[in-house]
Structure formats: C-alpha cells, structure tokens
PDB file of all heavy atoms in Angstrom:
ATOM      1  N   LYS A   1      91.387  21.888 -65.786  1.00 55.00           N
ATOM      2  CA  LYS A   1      91.610  23.326 -65.713  1.00 55.00           C
ATOM      3  C   LYS A   1      90.645  24.055 -66.677  1.00 55.00           C
ATOM      4  O   LYS A   1      90.429  23.610 -67.783  1.00 55.00           O
ATOM      5  CB  LYS A   1      93.018  23.603 -66.031  1.00 55.00           C
ATOM      6  CG  LYS A   1      94.024  22.987 -65.055  1.00 55.00           C
ATOM      7  CD  LYS A   1      95.451  23.369 -65.389  1.00 55.00           C
ATOM      8  CE  LYS A   1      96.446  22.825 -64.393  1.00 55.00           C
ATOM      9  NZ  LYS A   1      97.801  23.112 -64.737  1.00 55.00           N
ATOM     10  N   PRO A   2      90.162  25.203 -66.297  1.00 56.00           N
ATOM     11  CA  PRO A   2      89.335  26.024 -67.145  1.00 56.00           C
ATOM     12  C   PRO A   2      90.080  26.418 -68.492  1.00 56.00           C
ATOM     13  O   PRO A   2      91.261  26.658 -68.453  1.00 56.00           O
ATOM     14  CB  PRO A   2      88.967  27.241 -66.311  1.00 56.00           C
ATOM     15  CG  PRO A   2      89.171  26.795 -64.885  1.00 56.00           C
ATOM     16  CD  PRO A   2      90.301  25.820 -64.979  1.00 56.00           C
ATOM     17  N   ASN A   3      89.372  26.464 -69.522  1.00 62.00           N
ATOM     18  CA  ASN A   3      89.954  26.832 -70.851  1.00 62.00           C
ATOM     19  C   ASN A   3      89.846  28.345 -71.061  1.00 62.00           C
ATOM     20  O   ASN A   3      89.499  28.794 -72.191  1.00 62.00           O
ATOM     21  CB  ASN A   3      89.277  26.041 -71.900  1.00 62.00           C
ATOM     22  CG  ASN A   3      89.987  26.140 -73.250  1.00 62.00           C
ATOM     23  OD1 ASN A   3      91.156  26.460 -73.241  1.00 62.00           O
ATOM     24  ND2 ASN A   3      89.333  25.785 -74.396  1.00 62.00           N
ATOM     25  N   ASN A   4      89.954  29.167 -69.987  1.00 66.00           N
ATOM     26  CA  ASN A   4      89.838  30.589 -70.192  1.00 66.00           C
ATOM     27  C   ASN A   4      91.151  31.213 -70.177  1.00 66.00           C
ATOM     28  O   ASN A   4      92.016  30.829 -69.395  1.00 66.00           O
ATOM     29  CB  ASN A   4      89.009  31.235 -68.994  1.00 66.00           C
ATOM     30  CG  ASN A   4      87.640  30.659 -69.063  1.00 66.00           C
ATOM     31  OD1 ASN A   4      87.030  30.474 -70.113  1.00 66.00           O
ATOM     32  ND2 ASN A   4      86.996  30.532 -67.825  1.00 66.00           N
ATOM     33  N   PRO A   5      91.457  32.198 -71.099  1.00 68.00           N
ATOM     34  CA  PRO A   5      92.766  32.889 -71.060  1.00 68.00           C
ATOM     35  C   PRO A   5      92.994  33.611 -69.757  1.00 68.00           C
ATOM     36  O   PRO A   5      92.073  34.135 -69.159  1.00 68.00           O
ATOM     37  CB  PRO A   5      92.707  33.868 -72.250  1.00 68.00           C
ATOM     38  CG  PRO A   5      91.220  34.170 -72.471  1.00 68.00           C
ATOM     39  CD  PRO A   5      90.483  32.811 -72.024  1.00 68.00           C
ATOM     40  N   PRO A   6      94.202  33.727 -69.325  1.00 71.00           N
ATOM     41  CA  PRO A   6      94.528  34.449 -68.057  1.00 71.00           C
ATOM     42  C   PRO A   6      94.126  35.944 -68.138  1.00 71.00           C
ATOM     43  O   PRO A   6      94.386  36.556 -69.234  1.00 71.00           O
ATOM     44  CB  PRO A   6      96.049  34.217 -67.848  1.00 71.00           C
ATOM     45  CG  PRO A   6      96.516  33.872 -69.207  1.00 71.00           C
ATOM     46  CD  PRO A   6      95.436  33.235 -69.925  1.00 71.00           C
ATOM     47  N   LYS A   7      93.665  36.516 -67.057  1.00 73.00           N
ATOM     48  CA  LYS A   7      93.212  37.936 -67.082  1.00 73.00           C
ATOM     49  C   LYS A   7      94.501  38.797 -67.072  1.00 73.00           C
ATOM     50  O   LYS A   7      95.468  38.524 -66.373  1.00 73.00           O
ATOM     51  CB  LYS A   7      92.332  38.255 -65.948  1.00 73.00           C
ATOM     52  CG  LYS A   7      91.079  37.589 -66.065  1.00 73.00           C
ATOM     53  CD  LYS A   7      90.147  37.955 -64.795  1.00 73.00           C
ATOM     54  CE  LYS A   7      88.796  37.309 -64.916  1.00 73.00           C
ATOM     55  NZ  LYS A   7      87.942  37.731 -63.734  1.00 73.00           N
ATOM     56  N   LYS A   8      94.521  39.841 -67.860  1.00 72.00           N
ATOM     57  CA  LYS A   8      95.574  40.836 -67.803  1.00 72.00           C
ATOM     58  C   LYS A   8      95.589  41.640 -66.456  1.00 72.00           C
ATOM     59  O   LYS A   8      94.475  42.099 -66.148  1.00 72.00           O
ATOM     60  CB  LYS A   8      95.546  41.862 -69.024  1.00 72.00           C
ATOM     61  CG  LYS A   8      95.765  41.056 -70.294  1.00 72.00           C
ATOM     62  CD  LYS A   8      95.755  42.127 -71.454  1.00 72.00           C
ATOM     63  CE  LYS A   8      95.932  41.374 -72.730  1.00 72.00           C
ATOM     64  NZ  LYS A   8      95.971  42.309 -73.935  1.00 72.00           N
ATOM     65  N   PRO A   9      96.691  41.836 -65.792  1.00 66.00           N
ATOM     66  CA  PRO A   9      96.672  42.635 -64.589  1.00 66.00           C
ATOM     67  C   PRO A   9      96.294  44.102 -64.880  1.00 66.00           C
ATOM     68  O   PRO A   9      96.681  44.616 -65.861  1.00 66.00           O
ATOM     69  CB  PRO A   9      98.070  42.520 -64.035  1.00 66.00           C
ATOM     70  CG  PRO A   9      98.924  42.113 -65.270  1.00 66.00           C
ATOM     71  CD  PRO A   9      97.982  41.321 -66.129  1.00 66.00           C
ATOM     72  N   ARG A  10      95.587  44.700 -63.987  1.00 71.00           N
ATOM     73  CA  ARG A  10      95.230  46.133 -64.174  1.00 71.00           C
ATOM     74  C   ARG A  10      96.462  46.958 -63.967  1.00 71.00           C
ATOM     75  O   ARG A  10      97.432  46.668 -63.311  1.00 71.00           O
ATOM     76  CB  ARG A  10      94.198  46.482 -62.999  1.00 71.00           C
ATOM     77  CG  ARG A  10      92.906  45.824 -63.282  1.00 71.00           C
ATOM     78  CD  ARG A  10      91.834  46.370 -62.300  1.00 71.00           C
ATOM     79  NE  ARG A  10      92.273  45.990 -60.917  1.00 71.00           N
ATOM     80  CZ  ARG A  10      91.763  46.445 -59.785  1.00 71.00           C
ATOM     81  NH1 ARG A  10      90.784  47.332 -59.876  1.00 71.00           N
ATOM     82  NH2 ARG A  10      92.127  46.043 -58.672  1.00 71.00           N
ATOM     83  N   LYS A  11      96.479  48.146 -64.612  1.00 69.00           N
ATOM     84  CA  LYS A  11      97.489  49.067 -64.542  1.00 69.00           C
ATOM     85  C   LYS A  11      97.694  49.595 -63.178  1.00 69.00           C
ATOM     86  O   LYS A  11      96.698  49.794 -62.546  1.00 69.00           O
ATOM     87  CB  LYS A  11      97.341  50.221 -65.591  1.00 69.00           C
ATOM     88  CG  LYS A  11      97.387  49.816 -67.036  1.00 69.00           C
ATOM     89  CD  LYS A  11      97.347  50.982 -67.938  1.00 69.00           C
ATOM     90  CE  LYS A  11      97.410  50.559 -69.413  1.00 69.00           C
ATOM     91  NZ  LYS A  11      97.280  51.765 -70.376  1.00 69.00           N
ATOM     92  N   GLY A  12      98.949  49.824 -62.794  1.00 63.00           N
ATOM     93  CA  GLY A  12      99.178  50.338 -61.413  1.00 63.00           C
ATOM     94  C   GLY A  12      99.374  49.242 -60.379  1.00 63.00           C
ATOM     95  O   GLY A  12      99.502  49.579 -59.196  1.00 63.00           O
ATOM     96  N   HIS A  13      99.184  47.957 -60.784  1.00 67.00           N
ATOM     97  CA  HIS A  13      99.389  46.886 -59.946  1.00 67.00           C
ATOM     98  C   HIS A  13     100.550  46.036 -60.312  1.00 67.00           C
ATOM     99  O   HIS A  13     100.828  45.872 -61.528  1.00 67.00           O
ATOM    100  CB  HIS A  13      98.080  45.962 -59.861  1.00 67.00           C
ATOM    101  CG  HIS A  13      96.909  46.701 -59.317  1.00 67.00           C
ATOM    102  ND1 HIS A  13      96.290  47.681 -60.042  1.00 67.00           N
ATOM    103  CD2 HIS A  13      96.181  46.533 -58.179  1.00 67.00           C
ATOM    104  CE1 HIS A  13      95.230  48.164 -59.320  1.00 67.00           C
ATOM    105  NE2 HIS A  13      95.154  47.548 -58.193  1.00 67.00           N
ATOM    106  N   GLY A  14     101.281  45.472 -59.362  1.00 72.00           N
ATOM    107  CA  GLY A  14     102.419  44.632 -59.615  1.00 72.00           C
ATOM    108  C   GLY A  14     103.689  45.330 -59.235  1.00 72.00           C
ATOM    109  O   GLY A  14     103.713  46.444 -58.788  1.00 72.00           O
ATOM    110  N   ARG A  15     104.843  44.601 -59.580  1.00 80.00           N
ATOM    111  CA  ARG A  15     106.152  45.151 -59.196  1.00 80.00           C
ATOM    112  C   ARG A  15     106.552  46.205 -60.228  1.00 80.00           C
ATOM    113  O   ARG A  15     106.303  46.158 -61.417  1.00 80.00           O
ATOM    114  CB  ARG A  15     107.141  44.023 -59.194  1.00 80.00           C
ATOM    115  CG  ARG A  15     106.694  43.039 -58.145  1.00 80.00           C
ATOM    116  CD  ARG A  15     107.565  41.727 -58.238  1.00 80.00           C
ATOM    117  NE  ARG A  15     109.014  42.089 -57.878  1.00 80.00           N
ATOM    118  CZ  ARG A  15     109.982  41.190 -57.913  1.00 80.00           C
ATOM    119  NH1 ARG A  15     109.704  39.921 -58.280  1.00 80.00           N
ATOM    120  NH2 ARG A  15     111.155  41.546 -57.656  1.00 80.00           N
ATOM    121  N   ASN A  16     107.479  47.148 -59.793  1.00 82.00           N
ATOM    122  CA  ASN A  16     108.061  48.166 -60.629  1.00 82.00           C
ATOM    123  C   ASN A  16     109.357  47.540 -61.301  1.00 82.00           C
ATOM    124  O   ASN A  16     110.157  46.922 -60.630  1.00 82.00           O
ATOM    125  CB  ASN A  16     108.475  49.350 -59.862  1.00 82.00           C
ATOM    126  CG  ASN A  16     107.304  50.154 -59.392  1.00 82.00           C
ATOM    127  OD1 ASN A  16     106.353  50.312 -60.135  1.00 82.00           O
ATOM    128  ND2 ASN A  16     107.350  50.648 -58.213  1.00 82.00           N
ATOM    129  N   GLY A  17     109.385  47.697 -62.561  1.00 82.00           N
ATOM    130  CA  GLY A  17     110.543  47.201 -63.337  1.00 82.00           C
ATOM    131  C   GLY A  17     111.771  48.138 -63.095  1.00 82.00           C
ATOM    132  O   GLY A  17     111.717  49.271 -62.534  1.00 82.00           O
ATOM    133  N   ALA A  18     112.984  47.739 -63.523  1.00 82.00           N
ATOM    134  CA  ALA A  18     114.165  48.486 -63.387  1.00 82.00           C
ATOM    135  C   ALA A  18     114.102  49.849 -64.003  1.00 82.00           C
ATOM    136  O   ALA A  18     114.645  50.852 -63.609  1.00 82.00           O
ATOM    137  CB  ALA A  18     115.450  47.708 -63.893  1.00 82.00           C
ATOM    138  N   SER A  19     113.301  49.964 -65.121  1.00 83.00           N
ATOM    139  CA  SER A  19     113.171  51.190 -65.887  1.00 83.00           C
ATOM    140  C   SER A  19     112.443  52.295 -65.152  1.00 83.00           C
ATOM    141  O   SER A  19     112.503  53.457 -65.410  1.00 83.00           O
ATOM    142  CB  SER A  19     112.471  50.915 -67.177  1.00 83.00           C
ATOM    143  OG  SER A  19     111.129  50.428 -66.978  1.00 83.00           O
ATOM    144  N   ALA A  20     111.674  51.955 -64.111  1.00 86.00           N
ATOM    145  CA  ALA A  20     110.952  52.843 -63.308  1.00 86.00           C
ATOM    146  C   ALA A  20     111.786  53.549 -62.293  1.00 86.00           C
ATOM    147  O   ALA A  20     111.438  54.688 -61.854  1.00 86.00           O
ATOM    148  CB  ALA A  20     109.861  52.082 -62.496  1.00 86.00           C
ATOM    149  N   TYR A  21     113.002  53.135 -62.072  1.00 84.00           N
ATOM    150  CA  TYR A  21     113.957  53.782 -61.085  1.00 84.00           C
ATOM    151  C   TYR A  21     114.876  54.660 -61.823  1.00 84.00           C
ATOM    152  O   TYR A  21     116.126  54.541 -61.960  1.00 84.00           O
ATOM    153  CB  TYR A  21     114.745  52.694 -60.288  1.00 84.00           C
ATOM    154  CG  TYR A  21     113.861  51.862 -59.435  1.00 84.00           C
ATOM    155  CD1 TYR A  21     113.245  50.685 -59.985  1.00 84.00           C
ATOM    156  CD2 TYR A  21     113.585  52.112 -58.176  1.00 84.00           C
ATOM    157  CE1 TYR A  21     112.488  49.823 -59.184  1.00 84.00           C
ATOM    158  CE2 TYR A  21     112.742  51.310 -57.375  1.00 84.00           C
ATOM    159  CZ  TYR A  21     112.202  50.214 -57.913  1.00 84.00           C
ATOM    160  OH  TYR A  21     111.369  49.292 -57.217  1.00 84.00           O
ATOM    161  N   THR A  22     114.240  55.771 -62.379  1.00 87.00           N
ATOM    162  CA  THR A  22     115.102  56.720 -63.121  1.00 87.00           C
ATOM    163  C   THR A  22     115.964  57.505 -62.269  1.00 87.00           C
ATOM    164  O   THR A  22     117.065  58.031 -62.844  1.00 87.00           O
ATOM    165  CB  THR A  22     114.165  57.701 -63.847  1.00 87.00           C
ATOM    166  OG1 THR A  22     113.246  58.404 -62.846  1.00 87.00           O
ATOM    167  CG2 THR A  22     113.217  56.981 -64.827  1.00 87.00           C
ATOM    168  N   GLY A  23     115.807  57.681 -60.996  1.00 85.00           N
ATOM    169  CA  GLY A  23     116.725  58.370 -60.152  1.00 85.00           C
ATOM    170  C   GLY A  23     117.748  57.518 -59.426  1.00 85.00           C
ATOM    171  O   GLY A  23     118.498  58.150 -58.546  1.00 85.00           O
ATOM    172  N   ALA A  24     117.749  56.262 -59.769  1.00 86.00           N
ATOM    173  CA  ALA A  24     118.627  55.377 -59.026  1.00 86.00           C
ATOM    174  C   ALA A  24     120.026  55.458 -59.616  1.00 86.00           C
ATOM    175  O   ALA A  24     120.226  55.681 -60.839  1.00 86.00           O
ATOM    176  CB  ALA A  24     118.153  53.962 -59.093  1.00 86.00           C
ATOM    177  N   LYS A  25     120.992  55.160 -58.719  1.00 86.00           N
ATOM    178  CA  LYS A  25     122.419  55.124 -59.231  1.00 86.00           C
ATOM    179  C   LYS A  25     122.660  53.844 -59.915  1.00 86.00           C
ATOM    180  O   LYS A  25     122.236  52.815 -59.521  1.00 86.00           O
ATOM    181  CB  LYS A  25     123.414  55.277 -58.007  1.00 86.00           C
ATOM    182  CG  LYS A  25     124.912  55.119 -58.349  1.00 86.00           C
ATOM    183  CD  LYS A  25     125.720  55.245 -57.083  1.00 86.00           C
ATOM    184  CE  LYS A  25     127.128  55.040 -57.356  1.00 86.00           C
ATOM    185  NZ  LYS A  25     128.004  55.059 -56.200  1.00 86.00           N
ATOM    186  N   LYS A  26     123.315  53.904 -61.112  1.00 89.00           N
ATOM    187  CA  LYS A  26     123.558  52.851 -61.957  1.00 89.00           C
ATOM    188  C   LYS A  26     124.934  52.324 -61.858  1.00 89.00           C
ATOM    189  O   LYS A  26     125.843  53.085 -61.977  1.00 89.00           O
ATOM    190  CB  LYS A  26     123.073  53.068 -63.364  1.00 89.00           C
ATOM    191  CG  LYS A  26     121.602  53.230 -63.661  1.00 89.00           C
ATOM    192  CD  LYS A  26     121.320  53.450 -65.107  1.00 89.00           C
ATOM    193  CE  LYS A  26     119.845  53.331 -65.321  1.00 89.00           C
ATOM    194  NZ  LYS A  26     119.059  54.258 -64.492  1.00 89.00           N
ATOM    195  N   VAL A  27     125.129  51.035 -61.523  1.00 90.00           N
ATOM    196  CA  VAL A  27     126.466  50.455 -61.527  1.00 90.00           C
ATOM    197  C   VAL A  27     126.576  49.323 -62.527  1.00 90.00           C
ATOM    198  O   VAL A  27     125.756  48.416 -62.523  1.00 90.00           O
ATOM    199  CB  VAL A  27     126.684  49.785 -60.069  1.00 90.00           C
ATOM    200  CG1 VAL A  27     128.133  49.146 -60.000  1.00 90.00           C
ATOM    201  CG2 VAL A  27     126.593  50.912 -59.031  1.00 90.00           C
ATOM    202  N   VAL A  28     127.588  49.473 -63.447  1.00 89.00           N
ATOM    203  CA  VAL A  28     127.758  48.528 -64.476  1.00 89.00           C
ATOM    204  C   VAL A  28     128.828  47.392 -63.891  1.00 89.00           C
ATOM    205  O   VAL A  28     129.811  47.743 -63.580  1.00 89.00           O
ATOM    206  CB  VAL A  28     128.335  49.160 -65.779  1.00 89.00           C
ATOM    207  CG1 VAL A  28     128.589  48.077 -66.823  1.00 89.00           C
ATOM    208  CG2 VAL A  28     127.383  50.196 -66.341  1.00 89.00           C
ATOM    209  N   VAL A  29     128.365  46.135 -64.000  1.00 90.00           N
ATOM    210  CA  VAL A  29     129.123  45.104 -63.535  1.00 90.00           C
ATOM    211  C   VAL A  29     129.596  44.263 -64.771  1.00 90.00           C
ATOM    212  O   VAL A  29     128.830  43.683 -65.390  1.00 90.00           O
ATOM    213  CB  VAL A  29     128.402  44.193 -62.481  1.00 90.00           C
ATOM    214  CG1 VAL A  29     129.288  43.056 -62.054  1.00 90.00           C
ATOM    215  CG2 VAL A  29     127.901  45.002 -61.401  1.00 90.00           C
ATOM    216  N   SER A  30     130.954  44.261 -64.995  1.00 89.00           N
ATOM    217  CA  SER A  30     131.531  43.542 -66.144  1.00 89.00           C
ATOM    218  C   SER A  30     131.606  42.040 -65.823  1.00 89.00           C
ATOM    219  O   SER A  30     131.738  41.623 -64.605  1.00 89.00           O
ATOM    220  CB  SER A  30     132.852  44.170 -66.596  1.00 89.00           C
ATOM    221  OG  SER A  30     132.672  45.444 -66.905  1.00 89.00           O
ATOM    222  N   HIS A  31     131.598  41.227 -66.902  1.00 89.00           N
ATOM    223  CA  HIS A  31     131.778  39.844 -66.665  1.00 89.00           C
ATOM    224  C   HIS A  31     133.220  39.529 -66.080  1.00 89.00           C
ATOM    225  O   HIS A  31     134.141  40.171 -66.480  1.00 89.00           O
ATOM    226  CB  HIS A  31     131.544  39.021 -67.923  1.00 89.00           C
ATOM    227  CG  HIS A  31     131.350  37.564 -67.814  1.00 89.00           C
ATOM    228  ND1 HIS A  31     132.355  36.685 -67.682  1.00 89.00           N
ATOM    229  CD2 HIS A  31     130.154  36.814 -67.656  1.00 89.00           C
ATOM    230  CE1 HIS A  31     131.809  35.404 -67.509  1.00 89.00           C
ATOM    231  NE2 HIS A  31     130.572  35.512 -67.494  1.00 89.00           N
ATOM    232  N   GLU A  32     133.240  38.543 -65.200  1.00 89.00           N
ATOM    233  CA  GLU A  32     134.447  38.272 -64.490  1.00 89.00           C
ATOM    234  C   GLU A  32     135.550  37.707 -65.323  1.00 89.00           C
ATOM    235  O   GLU A  32     136.839  37.833 -65.066  1.00 89.00           O
ATOM    236  CB  GLU A  32     134.274  37.481 -63.239  1.00 89.00           C
ATOM    237  CG  GLU A  32     133.687  36.070 -63.513  1.00 89.00           C
ATOM    238  CD  GLU A  32     132.182  36.143 -63.631  1.00 89.00           C
ATOM    239  OE1 GLU A  32     131.600  37.260 -63.575  1.00 89.00           O
ATOM    240  OE2 GLU A  32     131.606  35.004 -63.667  1.00 89.00           O
ATOM    241  N   SER A  33     135.174  36.964 -66.454  1.00 88.00           N
ATOM    242  CA  SER A  33     136.226  36.338 -67.325  1.00 88.00           C
ATOM    243  C   SER A  33     136.130  36.557 -68.795  1.00 88.00           C
ATOM    244  O   SER A  33     137.032  36.247 -69.532  1.00 88.00           O
ATOM    245  CB  SER A  33     136.167  34.758 -66.992  1.00 88.00           C
ATOM    246  OG  SER A  33     134.880  34.319 -67.372  1.00 88.00           O
ATOM    247  N   LEU A  34     134.928  37.080 -69.170  1.00 86.00           N
ATOM    248  CA  LEU A  34     134.728  37.375 -70.706  1.00 86.00           C
ATOM    249  C   LEU A  34     134.595  38.850 -70.969  1.00 86.00           C
ATOM    250  O   LEU A  34     134.117  39.567 -70.056  1.00 86.00           O
ATOM    251  CB  LEU A  34     133.521  36.571 -71.130  1.00 86.00           C
ATOM    252  CG  LEU A  34     133.524  35.035 -71.099  1.00 86.00           C
ATOM    253  CD1 LEU A  34     132.160  34.427 -71.492  1.00 86.00           C
ATOM    254  CD2 LEU A  34     134.606  34.532 -72.088  1.00 86.00           C
ATOM    255  N   LYS A  35     134.944  39.162 -72.233  1.00 87.00           N
ATOM    256  CA  LYS A  35     134.717  40.497 -72.697  1.00 87.00           C
ATOM    257  C   LYS A  35     134.198  40.426 -74.081  1.00 87.00           C
ATOM    258  O   LYS A  35     134.281  39.405 -74.721  1.00 87.00           O
ATOM    259  CB  LYS A  35     135.969  41.355 -72.609  1.00 87.00           C
ATOM    260  CG  LYS A  35     137.161  40.954 -73.333  1.00 87.00           C
ATOM    261  CD  LYS A  35     138.308  41.877 -73.165  1.00 87.00           C
ATOM    262  CE  LYS A  35     139.586  41.514 -74.040  1.00 87.00           C
ATOM    263  NZ  LYS A  35     140.153  40.268 -73.648  1.00 87.00           N
ATOM    264  N   HIS A  36     133.752  41.558 -74.632  1.00 89.00           N
ATOM    265  CA  HIS A  36     133.158  41.598 -75.947  1.00 89.00           C
ATOM    266  C   HIS A  36     134.130  41.095 -76.981  1.00 89.00           C
ATOM    267  O   HIS A  36     135.226  41.553 -77.099  1.00 89.00           O
ATOM    268  CB  HIS A  36     132.798  42.977 -76.225  1.00 89.00           C
ATOM    269  CG  HIS A  36     132.008  43.173 -77.606  1.00 89.00           C
ATOM    270  ND1 HIS A  36     130.659  42.862 -77.646  1.00 89.00           N
ATOM    271  CD2 HIS A  36     132.411  43.617 -78.737  1.00 89.00           C
ATOM    272  CE1 HIS A  36     130.309  43.111 -78.960  1.00 89.00           C
ATOM    273  NE2 HIS A  36     131.321  43.610 -79.613  1.00 89.00           N
ATOM    274  N   GLY A  37     133.689  40.021 -77.790  1.00 88.00           N
ATOM    275  CA  GLY A  37     134.539  39.446 -78.907  1.00 88.00           C
ATOM    276  C   GLY A  37     135.441  38.316 -78.424  1.00 88.00           C
ATOM    277  O   GLY A  37     136.081  37.681 -79.321  1.00 88.00           O
ATOM    278  N   ASP A  38     135.321  37.844 -77.180  1.00 89.00           N
ATOM    279  CA  ASP A  38     136.172  36.715 -76.767  1.00 89.00           C
ATOM    280  C   ASP A  38     135.530  35.372 -77.289  1.00 89.00           C
ATOM    281  O   ASP A  38     134.302  35.337 -77.588  1.00 89.00           O
ATOM    282  CB  ASP A  38     136.201  36.676 -75.257  1.00 89.00           C
ATOM    283  CG  ASP A  38     137.201  37.567 -74.688  1.00 89.00           C
ATOM    284  OD1 ASP A  38     137.872  38.335 -75.426  1.00 89.00           O
ATOM    285  OD2 ASP A  38     137.261  37.721 -73.444  1.00 89.00           O
ATOM    286  N   PRO A  39     136.353  34.345 -77.472  1.00 88.00           N
ATOM    287  CA  PRO A  39     135.802  33.018 -77.865  1.00 88.00           C
ATOM    288  C   PRO A  39     134.834  32.502 -76.826  1.00 88.00           C
ATOM    289  O   PRO A  39     135.015  32.695 -75.606  1.00 88.00           O
ATOM    290  CB  PRO A  39     137.000  32.161 -77.954  1.00 88.00           C
ATOM    291  CG  PRO A  39     138.151  33.108 -78.042  1.00 88.00           C
ATOM    292  CD  PRO A  39     137.853  34.312 -77.319  1.00 88.00           C
ATOM    293  N   CYS A  40     133.835  31.697 -77.282  1.00 89.00           N
ATOM    294  CA  CYS A  40     132.820  31.089 -76.413  1.00 89.00           C
ATOM    295  C   CYS A  40     133.478  30.023 -75.582  1.00 89.00           C
ATOM    296  O   CYS A  40     134.303  29.211 -76.183  1.00 89.00           O
ATOM    297  CB  CYS A  40     131.675  30.546 -77.245  1.00 89.00           C
ATOM    298  SG  CYS A  40     130.482  29.718 -76.259  1.00 89.00           S
ATOM    299  N   LEU A  41     133.095  29.931 -74.311  1.00 86.00           N
ATOM    300  CA  LEU A  41     133.662  28.934 -73.438  1.00 86.00           C
ATOM    301  C   LEU A  41     133.074  27.598 -73.657  1.00 86.00           C
ATOM    302  O   LEU A  41     133.579  26.617 -73.158  1.00 86.00           O
ATOM    303  CB  LEU A  41     133.561  29.345 -71.996  1.00 86.00           C
ATOM    304  CG  LEU A  41     134.205  30.621 -71.532  1.00 86.00           C
ATOM    305  CD1 LEU A  41     133.883  30.951 -70.088  1.00 86.00           C
ATOM    306  CD2 LEU A  41     135.733  30.540 -71.834  1.00 86.00           C
ATOM    307  N   GLU A  42     131.903  27.531 -74.265  1.00 86.00           N
ATOM    308  CA  GLU A  42     131.167  26.292 -74.405  1.00 86.00           C
ATOM    309  C   GLU A  42     131.529  25.574 -75.835  1.00 86.00           C
ATOM    310  O   GLU A  42     131.910  24.447 -75.896  1.00 86.00           O
ATOM    311  CB  GLU A  42     129.663  26.468 -74.398  1.00 86.00           C
ATOM    312  CG  GLU A  42     129.116  26.877 -73.074  1.00 86.00           C
ATOM    313  CD  GLU A  42     129.316  25.717 -72.043  1.00 86.00           C
ATOM    314  OE1 GLU A  42     129.258  24.555 -72.451  1.00 86.00           O
ATOM    315  OE2 GLU A  42     129.457  26.019 -70.866  1.00 86.00           O
ATOM    316  N   CYS A  43     131.299  26.433 -76.897  1.00 85.00           N
ATOM    317  CA  CYS A  43     131.589  25.734 -78.283  1.00 85.00           C
ATOM    318  C   CYS A  43     132.931  26.089 -78.827  1.00 85.00           C
ATOM    319  O   CYS A  43     133.329  25.516 -79.836  1.00 85.00           O
ATOM    320  CB  CYS A  43     130.488  26.197 -79.172  1.00 85.00           C
ATOM    321  SG  CYS A  43     130.538  27.952 -79.620  1.00 85.00           S
ATOM    322  N   ILE A  44     133.643  26.974 -78.123  1.00 76.00           N
ATOM    323  CA  ILE A  44     135.024  27.295 -78.567  1.00 76.00           C
ATOM    324  C   ILE A  44     135.099  28.034 -79.956  1.00 76.00           C
ATOM    325  O   ILE A  44     135.838  29.028 -80.073  1.00 76.00           O
ATOM    326  CB  ILE A  44     135.986  26.065 -78.545  1.00 76.00           C
ATOM    327  CG1 ILE A  44     135.948  25.335 -77.292  1.00 76.00           C
ATOM    328  CG2 ILE A  44     137.403  26.402 -78.990  1.00 76.00           C
ATOM    329  CD1 ILE A  44     136.736  24.064 -77.194  1.00 76.00           C
ATOM    330  N   ASN A  45     134.464  27.587 -80.947  1.00 84.00           N
ATOM    331  CA  ASN A  45     134.565  28.218 -82.249  1.00 84.00           C
ATOM    332  C   ASN A  45     133.825  29.494 -82.323  1.00 84.00           C
ATOM    333  O   ASN A  45     134.099  30.400 -83.179  1.00 84.00           O
ATOM    334  CB  ASN A  45     133.958  27.289 -83.336  1.00 84.00           C
ATOM    335  CG  ASN A  45     134.784  26.001 -83.381  1.00 84.00           C
ATOM    336  OD1 ASN A  45     136.011  25.943 -83.283  1.00 84.00           O
ATOM    337  ND2 ASN A  45     134.065  24.833 -83.664  1.00 84.00           N
TER     338      ASN A  45
END
C-alpha cells in the first residue's frame, strides 16, 4: 500500500450531518429501560 496520507475531502462534498438540518423537527427518544443515575446493567456497581 502507498505510504501517502489520505487526502482530505473538499468542502461541499459528502453527506450532511445532523447539525445541518436546522429546520427539521426534533424528537427525543428516551432509553427504554434506563434513566439518568440508574445502576449500570453490566458492572452493577
């Protein structure tokens, strides 16, 4: 494989991130079984 660093994509090319959709309706989806401050399901402590 060539030892050249990957080229950076030019501006204006590629997919739009979620921050680009300023006019979109936002829906907050809460976790189905955990809430802020609950014990961890993996390590328990």
Side-chain angles (χ1 to χ4, degrees):
K1 295 182 179 180
N3 192 20
N4 296 327
K7 294 182 179 180
K8 294 182 179 180
R10 292 183 296 169
K11 291 183 178 181
H13 295 72
R15 301 173 61 182
N16 290 317
S19 59
Y21 296 88
T22 55
K25 178 182 178 182
K26 289 182 172 57
V27 178
V28 178
V29 181
S30 301
H31 196 276
E32 60 274 7
S33 60
L34 292 174
K35 62 180 183 294
H36 186 77
D38 283 356
C40 177
L41 298 178
E42 292 292 331
C43 65
I44 302 177
N45 295 325

